[in-house]
Amino acid sequence: DEQKVKGMKHFGNKVWNIARFVISNLDAPNVNPLPMTEADKTILNQLAETAKLTNKHVDEYRIHEAAQELYDFVWKNFADVYIEASKPQLQDEVNKANTQAVLVHTLVESLKLLHPFMPFLTEVLWQELHKAKLVNESLLMVTAWPDSKE
């Protein structure tokens, strides 16, 4: 369906814009993300649940459900909700470094989960994260798959 192709093009563009936003808003050392605000708690919990459900769907060969789970998380929860919530947090010196850490962590884990579905885009974005010294591994395709915590 032509509309599906257009929709996935828009999704690819959304993932690209998320990565650009995260990279462009970093100026503090990378720290481990902590759930300091309600928005932080929510996105980290949603990320863990998304990884768990994605793993479950992949293990059961329900690839479409896995892809849909990731699409919904990245577009609705990460882009539409958390990135918008992060904007005022990035202006607050108390929350800024942790918000940056949550953004990077969520992006990194999302790229890992999306990689089987969008390998070219995610690998290019991973290279940008590597150049920015936000990830140690030089290639996304050799990084560990996100573990789902039951």
Side-chain angles (χ1 to χ4, degrees):
D1 181 22
E2 195 172 315
Q3 290 303 88
K4 281 268 193 203
V5 172
K6 285 181 183 178
M8 290 306 108
K9 174 186 167 242
H10 294 302
F11 181 65
N13 190 54
K14 179 66 81 171
V15 172
W16 183 270
N17 288 335
I18 290 168
R20 302 307 320 151
F21 175 81
V22 171
I23 292 168
S24 70
N25 278 290
L26 293 176
D27 60 4
N30 200 8
V31 296
N32 290 328
L34 299 171
M36 290 179 57
T37 67
E38 196 58 42
D40 296 343
K41 290 175 197 168
T42 301
I43 196 66
L44 293 172
N45 287 336
Q46 289 170 333
L47 176 60
E49 183 66 16
T50 298
K52 180 176 137 187
L53 289 172
T54 300
N55 277 307
K56 180 179 184 283
H57 292 318
V58 169
D59 288 345
E60 296 171 357
Y61 301 101
R62 295 189 321 217
I63 305 305
H64 175 74
E65 285 88 351
Q68 189 64 49
E69 189 69 40
L70 291 168
Y71 177 92
D72 289 343
F73 170 75
V74 170
W75 194 297
K76 296 174 185 171
N77 303 115
F78 190 25
D80 288 352
V81 178
Y82 188 71
I83 286 185
E84 292 307 314
S86 75
K87 291 175 182 176
Q89 290 178 203
L90 289 168
Q91 303 302 314
D92 177 8
E93 289 304 316
V94 173
N95 291 319
K96 184 176 183 175
N98 188 68
T99 299
Q100 291 171 336
V102 172
L103 285 165
V104 169
H105 175 74
T106 306
L107 175 62
V108 165
E109 296 303 302
S110 295
L111 290 177
K112 289 177 186 179
L113 290 166
L114 286 168
H115 189 63
F117 304 96
M118 310 172 78
F120 301 107
L121 176 65
T122 54
E123 194 66 59
V124 167
L125 293 173
W126 190 268
Q127 297 303 311
E128 292 298 315
L129 293 173
H130 184 68
K131 281 185 216 169
K133 302 201 184 320
L134 298 173
V135 294
N136 295 326
E137 300 87 358
S138 60
L139 294 173
L140 174 55
M141 68 179 174
V142 297
T143 62
W145 179 258
D147 188 24
S148 63
K149 295 162 183 81
E150 296 290 331

